[in-house]
Amino acid sequence: MKKILCGAILTLLLGACYTPLNNSGVATTKPWLEIPAKKLDYDGKQYDSCYQFNIRFWPPEAAEQINLAQACISDCCWRSDKDEVTLDFNKNFDADLAFYGRARKYSPGKITFKVSHSNLVNTTKVAVSPKGAVNNKGLVKLSYKEYENPARLAQIEAASRQLQTRRNAYLAEQQQRQAAAERAKQAARQKAAQEGAARALLLRRAGTQIDAYFYQMNKTYKKQGAIFLLSERILLADPLNTQGDYSVTCHAQARTGVDIKNLKASTFSCGTWRVSLEDGTVQAYDKKARQIIGE
């Protein structure tokens, strides 16, 4: 009779274990309870195991209220460290309502899991409170009610408007700076183009006379038995007015001396000229320029 009774009890215990053995060779009473690892003593009996709840939530945002690792959902937990886990979905309710002005209060507010193991039937059991909070597929269905803090929402709205005002002002300032920078670049490009045009016009109108002036200077040095090595001419243009008139100063760097080993650098003027882009004319603007064109 005793053997029959023991057999019946064993049958009932095994019947409660309806999940197949997992990769650690341990049966569980719920399909969503997993045992990724276990510890055995010298007799081969389990004295500890690492369990994990393969569960999900509806609404999904409820998972944001709990630490999934500490809740043994994203990580497994050793039973010797803790054999009971409580999910508190409303622990942040007051703080969230005060900070965000809105918060959800979930029901059930807490779900507790109690994990135990029987070496007799090699089965790990989990008891859930409240009962039925997790269905057989590991889904936790929660209901909720949303609460509002009107005063806090008004503060947030006012802060948002103020932030938007500052952002708009910042963007407007950035646009103004960008526009000013673009205008400055455009003005610089236009200035460079006009100065280049003024220099080019001087060379077209008086370049031959300037070259002839330096050619005669070279001949004079040679007659005296000296050396005259001329570099390129340097032209500096400055606006005289807004009508396209420029003052263009001409000078050239040269090296002179009695022999090639004793040359020194010198600067020679080739005149200051008045250039009119509007009329396309070039006039001598100083004594040197008048000398060059023979006036």
Side-chain angles (χ1 to χ4, degrees):
M1 183 65 180
K2 185 180 292 186
K3 291 182 179 180
I4 295 174
L5 182 59
C6 290
I9 294 173
L10 182 61
T11 301
L12 289 172
L13 289 172
L14 290 174
C17 176
Y18 51 81
T19 302
L21 295 177
N22 58 26
N23 56 10
S24 292
V26 180
T28 59
T29 58
K30 297 293 182 182
W32 44 267
L33 175 61
E34 299 178 351
I35 310 297
K38 62 183 179 180
K39 294 179 181 179
L40 305 177
D41 60 18
Y42 289 111
D43 296 327
K45 294 182 179 180
Q46 183 191 130
Y47 66 91
D48 199 3
S49 61
C50 200
Y51 62 90
Q52 187 170 358
F53 304 128
N54 183 18
I55 59 177
R56 61 192 191 282
F57 303 90
W58 184 262
E61 306 87 66
E64 298 172 3
Q65 301 301 320
I66 58 177
N67 186 314
L68 297 179
Q70 293 180 1
C72 311
I73 296 173
S74 61
D75 297 339
C76 73
C77 302
W78 289 99
R79 189 161 35 85
S80 59
D81 294 333
K82 57 179 175 181
D83 59 4
E84 183 173 303
V85 176
T86 297
L87 310 183
D88 188 349
F89 298 98
N90 295 326
K91 65 178 180 180
N92 299 318
F93 173 77
D94 292 333
D96 287 350
L97 186 61
F99 186 80
Y100 298 107
R102 290 188 178 90
R104 290 179 178 181
K105 181 165 284 189
Y106 291 94
S107 180
K110 292 183 179 181
I111 298 177
T112 300
F113 301 93
K114 178 69 175 178
V115 179
S116 60
H117 180 76
S118 171
N119 277 321
L120 179 63
V121 290
N122 189 30
T123 300
T124 298
K125 176 183 177 182
V126 58
V128 183
S129 178
K131 191 175 181 179
V134 186
N135 69 16
N136 199 48
K137 294 182 179 180
L139 178 63
V140 179
K141 287 187 177 181
L142 301 166
S143 61
Y144 64 89
K145 181 179 179 181
E146 290 192 346
Y147 292 82
E148 291 187 353
N149 183 335
R152 178 56 180 160
L153 288 175
Q155 289 178 346
I156 294 174
E157 180 63 25
S160 178
R161 288 196 300 269
Q162 187 178 14
L163 181 62
Q164 186 62 42
T165 299
R166 289 200 300 265
R167 183 175 183 273
N168 291 341
Y170 171 78
L171 291 176
E173 182 181 357
Q174 289 296 104
Q175 290 175 352
Q176 290 173 359
R177 289 182 178 179
Q178 185 175 358
E182 185 60 33
R183 288 194 298 270
K185 288 180 182 180
Q186 181 63 28
R189 287 194 293 266
Q190 185 176 1
K191 179 176 181 293
Q194 289 180 329
E195 290 176 353
R199 292 192 295 268
L201 182 60
L202 171 62
L203 292 177
R204 286 200 304 272
R205 294 286 187 265
T208 301
Q209 290 94 324
I210 293 173
D211 288 342
Y213 168 74
F214 283 116
Y215 177 73
Q216 290 299 325
M217 185 178 293
N218 183 48
K219 288 178 64 177
T220 300
Y221 271 79
K222 283 184 177 181
K223 285 181 181 180
Q224 298 175 354
I227 297 174
F228 180 81
L229 300 178
L230 184 69
S231 68
E232 294 183 2
R233 281 153 295 288
I234 301 172
L235 305 177
L236 301 176
D238 292 306
L240 294 173
N241 51 44
T242 59
Q243 285 74 48
D245 293 334
Y246 283 83
S247 168
V248 181
T249 301
C250 174
H251 67 274
Q253 300 289 336
R255 296 172 65 197
T256 61
V258 295
D259 58 64
I260 198 68
K261 293 181 179 180
N262 296 284
L263 297 178
K264 66 177 183 178
S266 302
T267 300
F268 293 89
S269 171
C270 41
T272 300
W273 308 79
R274 184 185 180 98
V275 176
S276 174
L277 294 179
E278 184 176 352
D279 299 336
T281 59
V282 172
Q283 297 175 336
Y285 206 51
D286 69 350
K287 183 179 180 180
K288 178 61 70 176
R290 288 191 291 271
Q291 176 190 347
I292 290 174
I293 61 175
E295 289 185 353

